[in-house]
Amino acid sequence: MREWQLRETYSSTAGTVCWDSLGPPGQDPVVLLHGTPFSSYVWRDIAQALARDHHVFVWDMPGYGASEKSAGQDISLAAQSRVFTELLEHWGLAEPAVVAHDFGGCVSLRAHLLHGARYRALALVDPVALAPWGSPFFRLVGDNAEVFEQLPPALHQALVREYVSSASSPGLHPAVLDHLVQPWLGSVGQAAFYRQIAQADQRYTDEIQGRYGEIALPTLVCWGQDDTWIPAEKGQELVGRIPGARLEPIPGAGHLVQEDAPAELTAALITFLRQSR
C-alpha cells in the first residue's frame, strides 16, 4: 500500500488538524474532504492523480485519522464546517474546487451556504445531504455510545472492521481495511469512534436541505450504484434540488467509491474539473 502521511498541522477551534498538499502550488487548487468513519487516506490514489494538474489539499477532520481526538471535543458537522472555513482562509484559497465524500459533503455544503465559503466547482461523492440518513446500526450506537465505549477491545475492533467493510461492494483489500480501522483502536481511538457517531445529528442537514436551490456553481454528484449506506436514488433527488447539477452513476461501487472504483471516479472528476474551469 502507498504510504500516506500528513506533514502539516493547523490549530483549529475544534482541535489540531493534520493536513498536506500535493502538486504544483501554482496550479488550480482542489480540496478533498473525507467522510465518516474514514480519513484523507481514502483519497490517496485520487489525490496523486489530480496532483498532476492541480494543487491538491487533503486533511483529516478533527476527531478523525491523524488529527486530534480528545474527550469533550466538538466534532459535529457544525464544528467541521466551521473548521473547513477556517482552513480555506489559512490556506489562502479564495475559490478552490471542492470534492467531498459522505459527511464531507454536508461539511462542504454547510460551509458554502452558512459560512460564505466560495468554490469554483463542487463535486459530491455519495454525500450525506438529504434526510433521512443514518442506518439502524448508526442510530443504535448513537443512542448508546457510552455503553459501546465499554466494549472489550477485541469486540470493538471486530465491530469496526465489520462496519467499515460494509462500505465497500466488492470488498476492501486487507491492508486498506487495517489502515482504515487503525485510528479507531486503543482507548483514545475507541472513545473517538463512538463520540463521532454520538454527535451525528440529522438537524445539520435539515438546516440546509431547503437551500440547495441557492447553489449557483458547477456541481457534479457521483454515486456508487451499489451503495448500501445511502441509496443511489438519493443522488437523483439531490441533483433535482441543485440547479444545473449533473449525476454520474458509478456501477459496481458501494459507498466507498474511492476504493471500489478509483479509476472511474478519477476520470469523472478530471473531466468535471477540466470542464468547470
Side-chain angles (χ1 to χ4, degrees):
M1 293 294 105
R2 184 193 302 274
E3 183 181 357
W4 186 252
Q5 186 175 2
L6 304 182
R7 299 166 294 178
E8 307 289 342
T9 59
Y10 169 71
S11 297
S12 81
T13 52
T16 301
V17 169
C18 292
W19 67 276
D20 209 338
S21 65
L22 303 80
Q27 298 284 8
D28 291 339
V30 178
V31 184
L32 307 179
L33 285 76
H34 67 82
T36 183
F38 312 112
S39 69
S40 61
Y41 176 77
V42 299
W43 289 115
R44 64 199 180 282
D45 293 329
I46 294 172
Q48 294 283 355
L50 294 179
R52 297 183 63 180
D53 298 303
H54 300 85
H55 191 196
V56 180
F57 291 78
V58 292
W59 60 298
D60 287 350
M61 296 184 193
Y64 293 81
S67 291
E68 181 180 336
K69 306 175 185 69
S70 57
Q73 186 179 20
D74 183 358
I75 53 172
S76 66
L77 287 166
Q80 304 291 4
S81 60
R82 290 193 298 269
V83 170
F84 182 47
T85 307
E86 293 173 33
L87 272 174
L88 292 176
E89 183 176 353
H90 175 69
W91 291 330
L93 302 181
E95 210 168 281
V98 170
V99 181
H101 175 242
D102 184 77
F103 265 28
C106 179
V107 171
S108 65
L109 289 165
R110 287 180 63 90
H112 179 62
L113 293 169
L114 301 181
H115 304 302
R118 298 176 60 188
Y119 313 143
R120 176 175 64 81
L122 176 63
L124 301 168
V125 182
D126 295 57
V128 171
L130 296 170
W133 52 266
S135 66
F137 165 79
F138 203 81
R139 291 192 292 271
L140 175 66
V141 173
D143 292 340
N144 301 277
E146 293 181 358
V147 175
F148 280 89
E149 284 182 26
Q150 300 175 47
L151 282 176
L155 287 179
H156 164 72
Q157 180 172 346
L159 182 152
V160 177
R161 290 182 70 87
E162 183 64 27
Y163 180 52
V164 171
S165 295
S166 69
S168 169
S169 178
L172 296 170
H173 187 286
V176 171
L177 179 58
D178 288 345
H179 198 109
L180 292 175
V181 169
Q182 192 279 327
W184 304 120
L185 304 182
S187 58
V188 172
Q190 181 165 338
F193 180 78
Y194 298 113
R195 184 183 305 120
Q196 52 93 16
I197 295 180
Q199 292 189 32
D201 194 319
Q202 188 176 291
R203 66 187 173 95
Y204 296 122
T205 52
D206 290 344
E207 289 174 355
I208 58 173
Q209 185 170 314
R211 297 185 58 182
Y212 294 157
E214 301 174 24
I215 298 173
L217 64 151
T219 304
L220 175 70
V221 177
C222 300
W223 217 287
Q225 295 301 283
D226 295 339
D227 190 340
T228 60
W229 284 21
I230 310 178
E233 293 76 17
K234 288 290 186 183
Q236 191 64 57
E237 181 182 349
L238 183 58
V239 164
R241 289 172 175 261
I242 301 175
R246 180 171 64 84
L247 180 64
E248 181 80 32
I250 302 185
H255 186 69
L256 203 49
V257 184
Q258 302 96 318
E259 299 295 341
D260 290 358
E264 293 86 345
L265 180 57
T266 300
L269 292 175
I270 288 175
T271 300
F272 171 68
L273 293 172
R274 184 183 301 120
Q275 292 175 344
S276 61
R277 278 177 176 162

